[in-house]
Amino acid sequence: AGVTCVIVGVSGTSNNRFLLFDNSKCHQVDNISPLLMNGPTVFVESQNTPLCKVPQMNFGNMPADGGKLILSEEEHKYLISQDNRIQSYCLPLIGAEDFIHGKRRWCLWLLGQKEEQFSLIPEIKRRVAEVKAIRQSSSRPQLANTPHLFAQITQPLGTSFIVIPSTSSENRKYIPMGYMDKNNIVANSCMVVATEDMSLFGILTSAMHMVWVKTVGGRLKTDYRYSAQLCYNTFPFPKISDSKKQEIADAAEEVLVTREYHLGKTLAELYDPDRMPQDLREAHERLDNLVESCYPGYPFANDEARLECLFTMYEQMTASKH
């Protein structure tokens, strides 16, 4: 088990000495923020909708199916070999673990399909019946009325989207994110943003966004815990021109293309800080530079300078909301 310990010392007298400790290191600072860092007293509050004009971020879809609508790669191949009709009802399923570690899963996606047709396939009929039985004995028996569907379908359908694993190792400089086409289904272990705007993917996968996530986001043990309410909806997105947006989109596309050069490597391997390929590292650095050039104070000396800029923008954004 991983244990993270934070010790806060409070004194009844003030001598204007504020000390921050990190293991054996001690720093005297001007002020300790609510986020336990050297900075102004700014409270970053959870937001249900984005503070900036960006598309809504949603959870992926929740199956609540007892695993009956989900197929491993081996199950998928076997069932197709037994009855090729099943292929018409399968779509790739993306979960956080699958996405980061290069695993492949499928789901029976029956939304919009005619029951009189898919119920003629014995394997699908059996699985749907098992889902119905599982849901009837669950805490939400009303879901048994639609046993052929995922319990919650929250992914905007029919469009390309950004996928972000909800949990990711804190050792990585960047959370591995993806840009997928509409023929993929996202599980609820990921967050999803429906958009055709590649520049938005570029900003989210940048170091500027990551420093915000590391500072204000939640944690699972010490791993990043990405959420819409804290990480995405509160983030100070810059106002950028169409030409700059295109530059960022092109650089983001370069990151994705560079990943493809390394066939056979998983995202976990590509984003391992000790094994990240040099060309991917350079592609990210070019993207980082473009994104940061959109913020006041660029170029930034370090992450503290980046955060100072972001918190100043956040204060301005939230002040205008009150």
Side-chain angles (χ1 to χ4, degrees):
V3 177
T4 301
C5 183
V6 175
I7 300 173
V8 179
V10 180
S11 172
T13 58
S14 173
N15 55 12
N16 294 322
R17 291 184 70 246
F18 301 98
L19 302 178
L20 275 176
F21 295 86
D22 184 0
N23 293 320
S24 61
K25 297 179 181 178
C26 175
H27 304 279
Q28 183 170 338
V29 297
D30 297 328
N31 186 60
I32 299 177
S33 78
L35 295 165
L36 300 182
M37 56 179 287
N38 181 22
T41 302
V42 178
F43 292 90
V44 178
E45 299 179 355
S46 177
Q47 301 288 329
N48 290 326
T49 57
L51 291 173
C52 298
K53 292 182 179 180
V54 290
Q56 187 78 26
M57 175 177 283
N58 300 310
F59 276 109
N61 310 288
M62 181 183 293
D65 65 331
K68 304 303 179 181
L69 299 177
I70 297 174
L71 308 172
S72 68
E73 177 76 343
E74 293 73 21
E75 285 178 306
H76 177 256
K77 288 180 179 178
Y78 175 75
L79 293 179
I80 298 303
S81 70
Q82 298 300 301
D83 190 335
N84 192 53
R85 293 176 297 173
I86 295 176
Q87 179 64 61
S88 301
Y89 300 100
C90 292
L91 286 177
L93 179 68
I94 301 170
E97 181 76 9
D98 317 314
F99 181 66
I100 293 175
H101 294 281
K103 300 176 182 178
R104 191 167 174 82
R105 288 193 299 168
W106 299 78
C107 65
L108 290 173
W109 191 253
L110 304 175
L111 181 66
Q113 301 287 357
K114 294 181 180 179
E115 185 174 357
E116 59 266 27
Q117 292 181 346
F118 66 72
S119 62
L120 295 175
I121 302 174
E123 181 65 22
I124 294 181
K125 183 178 181 180
R126 179 183 68 81
R127 286 174 176 264
V128 170
E130 290 177 347
V131 173
K132 185 171 185 177
I134 290 169
R135 291 180 178 177
Q136 283 174 333
S137 60
S138 73
S139 61
R140 294 189 292 172
Q142 69 275 14
L143 294 175
N145 295 329
T146 53
H148 61 297
L149 300 179
F150 277 31
Q152 293 179 354
I153 300 176
T154 47
Q155 171 189 346
L157 302 173
T159 184
S160 301
F161 58 88
I162 300 166
V163 60
I164 303 175
S166 296
T167 305
S168 177
S169 170
E170 82 280 6
N171 294 324
R172 301 184 182 112
K173 182 176 180 179
Y174 306 95
I175 293 176
M177 302 181 186
Y179 189 72
M180 319 295 290
D181 67 40
K182 62 184 179 181
N183 296 314
N184 291 275
I185 301 302
V186 181
N188 59 323
S189 57
C190 294
M191 310 302 297
V192 59
V193 182
T195 182
E196 301 287 346
D197 183 2
M198 182 64 78
S199 70
L200 179 59
F201 169 76
I203 294 172
L204 292 180
T205 199
S206 71
M208 199 72 174
H209 185 58
M210 278 304 306
V211 74
W212 185 257
V213 172
K214 292 174 185 177
T215 305
V216 308
R219 297 280 172 152
L220 182 63
K221 298 183 294 184
T222 54
D223 289 343
Y224 303 131
R225 185 67 173 170
Y226 195 101
S227 71
Q229 291 77 13
L230 276 176
C231 300
Y232 180 77
N233 292 345
T234 64
F235 183 65
F237 287 90
K239 294 181 179 180
I240 54 179
S241 64
D242 289 342
S243 59
K244 179 65 76 171
K245 183 179 291 188
Q246 187 59 54
E247 288 183 61
I248 293 173
D250 291 342
E253 184 71 40
E254 183 182 353
V255 167
L256 294 175
V257 169
T258 304
R259 288 183 191 174
E260 295 299 320
Y261 290 154
H262 301 276
L263 293 176
K265 287 189 177 292
T266 67
L267 289 175
E269 292 169 327
L270 290 176
Y271 285 88
D272 183 316
D274 297 324
R275 296 190 292 170
M276 189 176 192
Q278 186 61 27
D279 56 352
L280 181 59
R281 194 185 304 275
E282 291 173 356
H284 268 287
E285 288 172 354
R286 285 190 289 272
L287 175 60
D288 290 343
N289 190 58
L290 278 170
V291 171
E292 291 181 14
S293 70
C294 301
Y295 285 90
Y298 169 81
F300 300 104
N302 48 39
D303 282 350
E304 286 72 22
R306 293 179 179 90
L307 282 173
E308 182 179 354
C309 167
L310 290 172
F311 276 115
T312 298
M313 291 178 66
Y314 176 79
E315 286 186 279
Q316 294 169 348
M317 287 162 41
T318 52
S320 65
K321 296 290 182 180
H322 297 312

